[in-house]
Amino acid sequence: MKGTYLGEFEELVLLAVGILFDDAYGLAIVDELERKTERPIMMSAVHKVLVRLEDKGYLKSRMGGATQVRGGRDKRLYTLTAAGKKVLSQSRELRNSMWREVPKIVWEAGAL
């Protein structure tokens, strides 16, 4: 398995795959990310991250059936692996832990 560091965009892609569950393929992932982040997402960026996450062992892929809408082409479907679920859980725990440590005074008016 390649390095275990998880970047922000990698985390977002893993979360989108989890949200989409059985229908996580390139364009659906892009659409989900654009909806959630409210910013444009490049298909090429998502594709590179999907390959990297699969290399790290966080995702696995399989070919789905061809459809008329896709001109008879198969689509590659992605699912989270046990390692992918674990790294997402660890990432969430780290973020939550750090958020809990930020003193409330930081968020009070005039403290900035």
Side-chain angles (χ1 to χ4, degrees), residues 11-75:
E11 183 178 0
L12 291 174
V13 170
L14 283 175
L15 288 167
V17 170
I19 290 167
L20 293 166
F21 191 57
D22 279 339
D23 200 31
Y25 64 97
L27 186 58
I29 294 167
V30 169
D31 289 345
E32 185 67 24
L33 290 171
E34 286 183 337
R35 264 193 308 280
K36 299 295 188 203
T37 65
E38 298 181 350
R39 60 185 186 198
I41 304 292
M42 301 290 296
M43 175 64 88
S44 60
V46 170
H47 177 72
K48 286 179 184 179
V49 168
L50 288 168
V51 170
R52 189 165 55 241
L53 291 170
E54 197 165 13
D55 287 347
K56 288 181 176 184
Y58 298 149
L59 292 176
K60 63 181 176 179
S61 67
R62 62 181 170 79
M63 296 308 289
T67 63
Q68 290 288 4
V69 174
R70 294 180 49 81
R73 295 176 311 168
D74 290 340
K75 56 184 168 185

